[in-house]
Amino acid sequence: MLITCPYCGPRDVVEFTYQGDGNRERPDPASQNFEAWNAYVYDRLNPAGDHNEIWQHSGGCRAHLRVVRNTLTHEILSVAFIRGAHTSTARRKAEDKS
Amino acid sequence: MVERQSPLEPEFHIGSHGNFEHGVEIILTETGPGSIVQLAAWPGEEKKLIAAIRTVTGLALPDGAGGGLSDGMKSVFGFAPGKFTVADEAEGLAGAFAKAVTPAIGTVTDLSHGRTAIRIAGPKAEWVLAKFFAIDFALPAFPVGAGRSTAHHDVFAQIQRTGSDQFDIYVFRSFARSFWKALCHASEEVGYEVQ
Ligand SMILES: [Zn+2]
């Protein structure tokens, strides 16, 4: 399985660390809404198909990534920085032309 | 000045080794830069950091992820969004950057004693490195000057291409000797010389 890091390019999955379901929404840390916390900690969609996931390129640039992966085929449908790409140095482009 | 000890020393054997009867196709050296510094820009401050790198080193970073260059004495390359590794033959780079990179721009981390820089050169450099790292070492995909962050098993490595058949590999000092030994073993089949 290859994940194309927006900074590093295509890399083997062993360079990445799975950081969980990307559909969760963390309640305000001060919140005492137990249902919201319960949903955050335990509820998972577990779809047979496209799944929003959080990965870290821990064996590379160490950026945190938002990945859409198909749980049936392992196809990677999209990869993006969790923190928005802010500058020209954040994207692989000029180098590909050289 | 105090001489810095190399972590490779017990396994560093000058001379030709392995299958070199038909010539040596790999040259292994420790570049031993006086300074290795890691710089990180706060979000939105990348351009100021790149300007500071130019002020301190005279090196103008090319645009794009993993872009870099080397003038033989000083080297710089991007290894992550907004983050750069800079090495200098001379000591004192961290001090110079501490003045140029203000707390509003980003951070300066002195890794001079934390990383070991190993140079692999020769016609089979791409071949040997391809046995270690699952990245594309071909020149069009990995141009001269560019940097890459990757890992060999658990040994995190930053690699800069400093020539068409030459790469500088920055590894954790504590892993450097075992990595060096592995590099020597991997070079045996093509014949290598330690200089
Ligand atoms: Zn990456």
Side-chain angles (χ1 to χ4, degrees):
Chain A
M1 193 167 103
L2 291 176
I3 297 177
T4 300
C5 171
Y7 188 86
C8 303
R11 295 294 179 92
D12 192 271
V13 70
V14 299
E15 289 194 3
F16 297 83
T17 310
Y18 182 56
Q19 298 206 322
D21 188 329
N23 299 302
R24 293 171 297 164
E25 215 169 301
R26 193 170 78 150
D28 184 312
S31 162
Q32 295 197 353
N33 181 338
F34 295 127
E35 274 182 22
W37 278 111
N38 186 77
Y40 173 69
V41 175
Y42 294 109
D43 289 358
R44 298 292 182 270
L45 295 170
N46 194 25
D50 296 351
H51 188 220
N52 295 320
E53 299 179 337
I54 298 167
W55 289 76
Q56 185 188 13
H57 193 189
S58 47
C61 68
R62 302 195 62 81
H64 290 85
L65 305 170
R66 190 169 285 288
V67 175
V68 179
R69 179 179 67 97
N70 188 299
T71 58
L72 294 175
T73 63
H74 291 309
E75 186 187 353
I76 303 292
L77 291 113
S78 69
V79 187
F81 290 117
I82 286 186
R83 177 187 281 168
H86 23 267
T87 65
S88 59
T89 58
R91 285 219 174 263
R92 190 179 191 82
K93 53 167 197 214
E95 194 179 281
D96 288 341
K97 285 180 228 144
S98 58
Chain B
M1 202 192 308
V2 178
E3 189 81 2
R4 191 179 302 167
Q5 253 193 323
S6 167
L8 309 180
E9 204 271 326
E11 296 293 338
F12 193 89
H13 307 297
I14 302 271
S16 299
H17 306 279
N19 184 23
F20 65 89
E21 292 81 7
H22 306 290
V24 163
E25 296 195 275
I26 288 289
I27 307 285
L28 296 175
T29 47
E30 184 187 2
T31 64
S35 305
I36 304 171
V37 171
Q38 190 167 297
L39 306 170
W42 304 122
E45 301 296 322
E46 292 82 357
K47 287 206 164 70
K48 285 183 197 151
L49 183 62
I50 289 166
I53 291 169
R54 188 167 193 170
T55 305
V56 171
T57 66
L59 298 174
L61 266 169
D63 192 28
L69 72 162
S70 176
D71 66 6
M73 297 290 283
K74 298 188 180 79
S75 304
V76 58
F77 57 92
F79 67 91
K83 296 179 183 168
F84 306 90
T85 292
V86 192
D88 189 350
E89 297 265 291
E91 295 188 15
L93 198 59
F97 272 115
K99 291 191 192 84
V101 181
T102 63
I105 296 174
T107 59
V108 180
T109 310
D110 188 353
L111 297 175
S112 307
H113 294 253
R115 298 287 183 274
T116 297
I118 293 166
R119 175 167 291 169
I120 178 168
K124 289 286 187 200
E126 281 183 25
W127 169 266
V128 169
L129 288 182
K131 296 196 273 183
F132 281 77
F133 304 105
I135 64 173
D136 191 347
F137 285 100
L139 195 56
F142 193 163
V144 174
R148 296 285 182 270
S149 302
T150 183
H152 177 243
H153 295 284
D154 283 334
V155 182
F156 185 70
Q158 291 179 357
I159 307 170
Q160 183 178 31
R161 187 177 210 134
T162 49
S164 59
D165 60 0
Q166 177 175 298
F167 300 86
D168 293 356
I169 310 168
Y170 296 84
V171 292
F172 295 128
R173 185 185 164 94
S174 54
F175 282 134
R177 194 184 305 159
S178 70
F179 181 78
W180 168 264
K181 246 182 121 171
L183 206 53
C184 290
H185 286 316
S187 305
E188 271 173 5
E189 59 155 343
V190 296
Y192 69 99
E193 185 181 341
V194 176
Q195 292 180 349

